[in-house]
Amino acid sequence: MNLAAKFDIILYGASGYTGRLVAEHLVKRYGVDGELTWAMAGRSEARLAEVREQIGAPKDTPLVVANASDPVQLAAMIGSARAIITTVGPYQLYGSNLVAACAAAGVDYLDLCGEPAWIRQMIDAHEATAKAAGARILFSCGFDSMAFELGVYHAQETAKAKLGATVPRVKARLRGMQGGPSGGSVASVMATMAAVQNDAVQRAVMMSPFGLTPGFEGPDQPLGDQVGEDPDVGPVGPFIMAPVDTKNVHRSNMLMGHPYGRDFVYDEMVIGGGEIPSVEDMGELPKPGEGPTEEEREAGFYHIVFIAIAADGRQVRTSVKGDVDPGYGASSKMLAETAIALAGAPDVPGGIWTPGAALQGRLVERLQMHAGVSFSTEE
């Protein structure tokens, strides 16, 4: 870790749609000169100053100018931080240099990435370096995939308490969700689709539930790509983010030493059925920098049930709920609070982690206290 750093956290991309939401949360929860020292970073000092004023941050909130394509600026930013939070995506286009530099410098890195093929590239290229330098690299620190990764962790902990052991089968079933996409997320999806079409290796990662567990291949998993009937909840249909979340859940299991078993089976579906809409069906999509309004974010919610099934058929059911739009209202808080939790966890060694595997129950507790997420057991 960079113990001589000026800032605990630098938020890179603070002038973007999602970055601004993260900055708002940090201002409201931690101020500037309190227990947390942090700065806002981006390409334009003028734009950063404008956002600082708009979110009501103190005028002395530090600003750092850095461009993802400028190695000198990136190095200067990284050299003054213990951790970098980045919301500058698509990460496969703008994140590779930052991950490499953080890994080499022993500086923590956190993002909201939902691009598994790129994550696998970063694991292959930088995990050994991160371990040696003490850098903790955490991808996917938002609703996708933390609500699901930690939801499985909580379900398994509940199974241990109620059934006496973890279980080999967990189903995640989305009961309801309301929220809209941002232009950044749309750009990430488009970039991923283009990369997968042109690269057989990336395509193989996307197709495999174990694409993020190099060296380990578990049992066959449910495809989850068709409308069907689940005997535990009724009609179900595909969930668009399942190909991302399931990979992170299996990586989390591997990183923790397979506490769920090496034969663990997991899938995600939406209760009620329905087809995944095509891009053409979604109408006009937001451009980068655009996203749901504050009113739309506040009107959002999500509710996921987790069904943990023992080998003998016994079950426990748990749920994860949130009180705002999952993709942005919730994810911005989750990302910020994961960074705070990591800063307070010097026992977590360097490496490329999932948030849940790195922080486990500490992160569950923090999200419940500060990010509007509830983890509960259903009777």
Side-chain angles (χ1 to χ4, degrees):
M1 296 174 65
N2 186 7
L3 298 179
K6 181 178 180 180
F7 302 108
D8 295 318
I9 292 170
I10 291 180
L11 169 59
Y12 182 51
S15 58
Y17 178 84
T18 305
R20 171 178 170 155
L21 297 178
V22 177
E24 283 183 328
H25 181 73
L26 290 173
V27 168
K28 291 177 182 177
R29 282 278 306 125
Y30 301 102
V32 174
D33 296 320
E35 61 181 285
L36 177 74
T37 59
W38 66 282
M40 300 166 59
R43 292 178 296 176
S44 166
E45 184 173 7
R47 180 63 180 140
L48 288 169
E50 180 183 345
V51 171
R52 179 175 60 185
E53 180 177 355
Q54 289 172 347
I55 66 175
K59 293 186 182 301
D60 59 350
T61 303
L63 307 178
V64 175
V65 176
N67 191 309
S69 61
D70 188 324
V72 174
Q73 289 184 345
L74 280 188
M77 177 178 73
I78 291 166
S80 62
R82 292 186 177 87
I84 301 292
I85 295 175
T86 175
T87 59
V88 180
Y91 295 98
Q92 60 198 281
L93 300 182
Y94 305 114
S96 298
N97 292 339
L98 184 56
V99 172
C102 285
V107 171
D108 297 340
Y109 167 103
L110 304 94
D111 71 16
L112 292 170
C113 184
E115 304 162 39
W118 177 78
I119 292 175
R120 177 58 185 270
Q121 290 178 338
M122 296 299 99
I123 292 169
D124 293 344
H126 304 300
E127 184 155 41
T129 301
K131 286 181 176 179
R136 287 89 61 86
I137 310 294
L138 275 62
F139 301 113
S140 306
C141 298
F143 174 75
D144 292 297
S145 297
M146 279 194 348
F148 299 88
E149 185 203 348
L150 288 173
V152 172
Y153 172 83
H154 178 255
Q156 292 282 16
E157 290 296 295
T158 303
K160 285 198 306 190
K162 290 184 171 291
L163 305 180
T166 59
V167 300
R169 175 75 171 107
V170 173
K171 302 176 182 179
R173 299 295 182 256
L174 191 66
R175 280 191 173 139
M177 180 174 74
Q178 181 171 309
S182 80
S185 289
V186 172
S188 291
V189 170
M190 296 301 186
T192 296
M193 290 171 62
V196 168
Q197 288 174 355
N198 296 322
D199 189 317
V201 174
Q202 292 192 52
R203 193 157 57 245
V205 170
M206 287 298 298
M207 294 295 292
S208 171
F210 299 97
L212 298 182
T213 59
F216 174 75
E217 190 78 19
D220 290 342
Q221 304 287 312
L223 294 177
D225 59 349
Q226 300 293 325
V227 173
E229 188 77 16
D230 183 332
D232 292 310
V233 297
V236 292
F239 177 46
I240 194 168
M241 291 304 295
V244 177
D245 300 334
T246 53
K247 292 174 178 57
N248 279 312
V249 167
H250 286 298
R251 178 166 177 81
S252 185
N253 185 34
M254 183 188 76
L255 290 172
M256 293 188 293
H258 291 104
Y260 313 154
R262 300 177 71 87
D263 59 347
F264 178 60
V265 176
Y266 172 71
D267 73 323
E268 299 173 2
M269 300 197 80
V270 177
I271 294 175
E275 301 287 350
I276 296 178
S278 67
V279 173
E280 292 77 13
D281 293 335
M282 297 175 71
E284 185 176 355
L285 297 170
K287 300 176 178 61
E290 300 177 347
T293 65
E294 181 178 3
E295 291 75 17
E296 289 170 336
R297 294 195 303 271
E298 292 299 320
F301 69 92
Y302 56 91
H303 184 183
I304 314 157
V305 61
F306 294 85
I307 305 167
I309 308 171
D312 62 7
R314 290 179 300 157
Q315 293 186 7
V316 295
R317 295 193 181 203
T318 61
S319 66
V320 175
K321 299 178 185 177
D323 56 3
V324 291
D325 162 72
Y328 302 94
S331 287
S332 56
K333 296 177 183 178
M334 289 177 173
L335 177 58
E337 294 299 335
T338 303
I340 306 301
L342 187 65
D347 56 305
V348 177
I352 297 184
W353 292 91
T354 58
L359 297 163
Q360 300 180 27
R362 288 178 285 188
L363 188 51
V364 170
E365 181 179 356
R366 188 163 201 96
L367 294 183
Q368 292 198 113
M369 291 175 61
H370 302 306
V373 187
S374 66
F375 296 80
S376 59
T377 301
E378 300 191 349
E379 300 299 334

